[in-house]
């Protein structure tokens, strides 16, 4: 397993365009998370899936943002009508619930997809 | 979400030990202390976690105060590759609390 894979790594788009990012988690992980990170800040939580169910969404996830995980494997994050404020690194992470009671539930992050909105 | 406080930045020299502090005075009894780090141009990576006892792994050691209101991540012999932002995060062990809440972390600079 090569870890969490995110594509594309970089995306430059014009304001008003739609963009979609894809995340392929570690295959045996049933939990998948999306975060957003702007320069100099820590990652901010956006949303979380357990299998195909989206169980939590942040207030940061406006109605222009939608995330899906249709078969409980890969996930997509779509941003419609992009704005310059959407420019950020979008990070995906996955985890297994196997070690939940040990307090571990370690998240494995991908390298991120950097979005620049002109 | 329980809050942690870390220095914005720290500097150390290569091959010397580094002690990264974290204050979490509002920690509850079911909060685990997790540390992640983020190398330049990469996503965060797990370093270590603990509850009450000190913990060691191949990357680092975690020293937890007896009252659990603070902890220290120890890199025993820093290398240039340890230059990163280090995040101290409290993770509640309760149903539904799955996400990690990141602060701004400590930016560690290692001098050759």
């Amino acid at each position: 397993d090569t870890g969490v894979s995110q594509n594309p790594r970089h995306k430059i788009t014009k304001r008003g365009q739609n963009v979609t990012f894809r995340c392929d988690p570690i295959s045996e992980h049933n939990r998948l998370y999306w975060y957003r990170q702007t320069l100099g800040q820590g990652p901010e939580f956006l949303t979380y899936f357990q299998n195909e169910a989206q169980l939590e969404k942040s207030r940061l996830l406006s109605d222009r943002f939608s995330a899906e995980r249709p078969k409980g494997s890969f996930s997509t994050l779509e941003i419609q009508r992009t704005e310059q404020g959407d420019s950020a690194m979008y990070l995906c992470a996955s985890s297994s619930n196997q070690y939940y009671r040990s307090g571990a539930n370690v998240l494995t992050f991908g390298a991120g997809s950097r979005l620049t909105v002109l | 979400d329980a809050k942690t406080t870390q220095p914005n930045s720290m500097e150390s020299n290569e091959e010397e030990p580094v002690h990264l502090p974290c204050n979490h005075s509002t920690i509850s009894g079911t909060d685990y202390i997790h540390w992640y780090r983020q190398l330049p141009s990469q996503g965060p990576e797990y370093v270590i976690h603990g509850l009450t006892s000190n913990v060691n792994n191949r990357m680092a050691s975690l020293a937890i105060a007896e009252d659990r209101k603070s902890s220290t991540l120890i890199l025993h012999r820093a290398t240039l590759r340890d230059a990163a932002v280090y995040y101290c995060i409290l993770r509640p062990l309760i149903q539904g609390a799955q996400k990690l809440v990141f602060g701004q972390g400590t930016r560690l600079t290692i001098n050759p």
Side-chain angles (χ1 to χ4, degrees):
Chain A
D1 197 332
T2 56
V4 177
S5 177
Q6 293 191 244
N7 289 288
R9 291 293 312 278
H10 302 276
K11 178 72 176 177
I12 300 173
T13 191
K14 292 183 179 178
R15 189 177 53 188
Q17 298 294 304
N18 299 343
V19 297
T20 299
F21 300 114
R22 175 178 170 127
C23 172
D24 287 273
I26 292 173
S27 56
E28 62 267 28
H29 284 181
N30 63 338
R31 294 172 175 168
L32 187 146
Y33 311 76
W34 285 99
Y35 283 79
R36 181 175 71 184
Q37 185 174 28
T38 53
L39 202 61
Q41 303 297 314
E44 297 173 293
F45 171 78
L46 291 178
T47 189
Y48 149 66
F49 291 85
Q50 181 157 307
N51 300 312
E52 64 276 9
Q54 189 173 19
L55 296 186
E56 188 173 352
K57 292 198 300 186
S58 163
R59 292 174 300 168
L60 295 174
L61 213 65
S62 75
D63 56 5
R64 296 185 298 106
F65 288 70
S66 62
E68 294 183 344
R69 196 183 182 198
K71 297 182 181 178
S73 57
F74 74 92
S75 175
T76 57
L77 176 68
E78 181 183 17
I79 308 174
Q80 295 182 327
R81 304 180 305 280
T82 52
E83 302 172 356
Q84 287 183 325
D86 297 331
S87 295
M89 176 74 82
Y90 290 86
L91 293 161
C92 175
S94 68
S95 73
S96 163
N97 65 347
Q98 181 178 0
Y99 303 106
Y100 174 71
R101 292 204 174 277
S102 72
N105 192 26
V106 170
L107 270 63
T108 302
F109 283 82
S113 293
R114 180 168 295 284
L115 173 65
T116 301
V117 181
L118 302 176
Chain B
D1 296 316
K3 188 173 174 58
T4 63
T5 304
Q6 300 178 253
N8 288 334
S9 62
M10 289 184 64
E11 200 168 325
S12 186
N13 297 320
E14 200 175 9
E15 299 187 4
E16 289 184 357
V18 180
H19 291 232
L20 295 161
C22 181
N23 287 321
H24 28 79
S25 57
T26 59
I27 193 169
S28 76
T30 55
D31 287 341
Y32 279 77
I33 302 160
H34 282 238
W35 283 82
Y36 281 70
R37 72 179 186 180
Q38 188 169 21
L39 303 173
S41 302
Q42 295 189 26
E45 66 173 345
Y46 168 79
V47 177
I48 201 166
H49 80 282
L51 182 62
T52 56
S53 304
N54 295 343
V55 184
N56 300 298
N57 66 20
R58 64 175 180 81
M59 289 180 71
S61 295
L62 176 60
I64 301 173
E66 198 169 331
D67 63 6
R68 301 212 321 129
K69 293 183 184 299
S70 66
S71 61
T72 302
L73 180 71
I74 302 166
L75 307 178
H76 293 286
R77 204 158 164 265
T79 71
L80 295 177
R81 293 182 60 185
D82 291 320
V85 178
Y86 287 78
Y87 297 99
C88 170
I89 302 166
L90 298 184
R91 193 167 186 291
L93 187 65
I94 57 175
Q95 190 68 24
Q98 304 302 337
K99 65 180 184 282
L100 295 176
V101 179
F102 289 80
Q104 293 201 314
T106 297
R107 181 173 298 277
L108 176 65
T109 301
I110 305 295
N111 299 314

